[in-house]
Amino acid sequence: GLYYTIRLGFMPFRHPVFLFKETIIKAFKKKDDANKAPGELTSFQAAMTSVGAIVGSGNIAGVATAIVVGGPGAVFWMLIAALIGMSTKFAEVTLGVKYREVREDGSVGGGAMYYLAKGLKQKWLGILFSILVIPYAFVISAVVDTNTIALAMEDQFAIPTWITGVVLAVAAGIIIFGGIKRIGRASEIIAPFMGGAYILAGLMVVILNLPQVPGAIGQIIRGAFDPAAVTGGAIGSMFVAMRYGVARGIFSNEAGAGTAAMVHCGAQVNHPVEQGL
């Protein structure tokens, strides 16, 4: 992440207006400018499918876990992981589109396995990634997310965990078996509302606890470099806060995992950098 951030000339921080225009403004356009480009999803659908994967238990349960185990300072390192992760994600998404395979029927195949095989000329590494990403997807998406939702529903509304599991499995199955196009259509409707609700809920928590915010920020900054001073010695090493902050940060933003490239490679764009941005 640091390497790409420096090598790309701190690109994510140098073009805020352009990035805002290419993401938020483009989201409200009825038609995608590149609808004749190869791909099965509009640029926005691909982005929202990716957002749908990363806004969830990683951002909520993952953050809570990081704070409990790594102390308040873990939040600081999560933020650092997100900031440098932007460049990592730019690189993997751009490479995903650059080395994707557009088939005769118009369908698209792509992802980290393709740029490992074609870009690095390491086919065995691409095959290894393809095998390992299957249990990764099951654990991160199916097991962790479903478990988090089911436990929350049982705790708040006394709904048995197996009922939540069955409902989620059926709903996910209806969307997934409709192929990438149905996933994209569902994501462009659901993900913006989900992301918006997450941001609004977070802001409400901050506003309702406004007097405690300065103290919390102070604890986060002190805890990032001297956890023992904040936790009373329960967490004595800066590296513990850093380790859990960065680990949960990557869990919540997916940067560098290679999975984002698998979704974004289906976007209808004329140039790989468009989707990377």
Side-chain angles (χ1 to χ4, degrees):
L2 280 170
Y3 172 79
Y4 282 127
T5 302
I6 295 164
R7 189 73 182 80
L8 294 167
F10 298 88
M11 180 269 299
F13 311 103
R14 285 194 295 116
H15 306 288
V17 176
F18 177 76
L19 292 175
F20 185 81
K21 187 178 130 194
E22 286 297 300
T23 52
I24 308 298
I25 303 297
K26 198 184 239 187
F28 293 97
K29 285 187 178 178
K30 289 186 180 175
K31 270 191 174 180
D32 202 286
D33 294 334
N35 58 358
K36 289 184 181 176
E40 298 177 271
L41 302 173
T42 65
S43 180
F44 181 65
Q45 284 176 339
M48 287 303 101
T49 303
S50 184
V51 166
I54 60 175
V55 177
S57 61
N59 303 79
I60 303 167
V63 175
T65 307
I67 293 169
V68 169
V69 185
V75 176
F76 175 85
W77 296 111
M78 287 186 85
L79 180 61
I80 296 298
L83 290 172
I84 65 170
M86 287 193 288
S87 295
T88 314
K89 209 157 194 182
F90 168 81
E92 63 181 335
V93 169
T94 301
L95 289 171
V97 178
K98 178 177 170 61
Y99 290 104
R100 68 183 176 180
E101 192 177 274
V102 182
R103 306 185 185 103
E104 288 182 12
D105 62 356
S107 63
V108 176
M113 65 287 273
Y114 282 79
Y115 60 73
L116 287 168
K118 293 181 178 181
L120 282 183
K121 312 291 184 193
Q122 300 285 342
K123 191 175 180 181
W124 69 272
L125 204 54
I127 293 168
L128 182 62
F129 177 88
S130 300
I131 295 166
L132 293 177
V133 81
I134 297 169
Y136 165 85
F138 272 110
V139 172
I140 296 298
S141 299
V143 178
V144 176
D145 285 0
T146 305
N147 182 61
T148 305
I149 296 165
L151 290 176
M153 295 297 284
E154 184 182 45
D155 186 52
Q156 293 296 317
F157 306 108
I159 297 171
T161 52
W162 70 268
I163 292 176
T164 305
V166 169
V167 170
L168 288 172
V170 171
I174 291 167
I175 296 168
I176 290 167
F177 290 118
I180 189 71
K181 287 187 178 180
R182 188 182 291 174
I183 294 171
R185 283 197 297 271
S187 296
E188 75 173 336
I189 296 167
I190 298 167
F193 286 106
M194 183 177 68
Y198 171 74
I199 292 167
L200 287 172
L203 286 171
M204 275 182 64
V205 171
V206 172
I207 291 163
L208 291 171
N209 297 278
L210 211 52
Q212 283 133 28
V213 170
I217 292 170
Q219 280 193 10
I220 289 166
I221 293 169
R222 282 199 308 276
F225 302 101
D226 186 14
V230 178
T231 61
I235 297 159
S237 169
M238 179 180 97
F239 295 103
V240 175
M242 189 186 292
R243 177 251 182 277
Y244 282 98
V246 173
R248 290 302 180 275
I250 291 167
F251 176 45
S252 69
N253 62 40
E254 207 182 20
T259 44
M262 294 164 68
V263 175
H264 284 276
C265 71
Q268 295 170 330
V269 287
N270 293 309
H271 195 282
V273 171
E274 283 182 66
Q275 195 61 21
L277 290 168

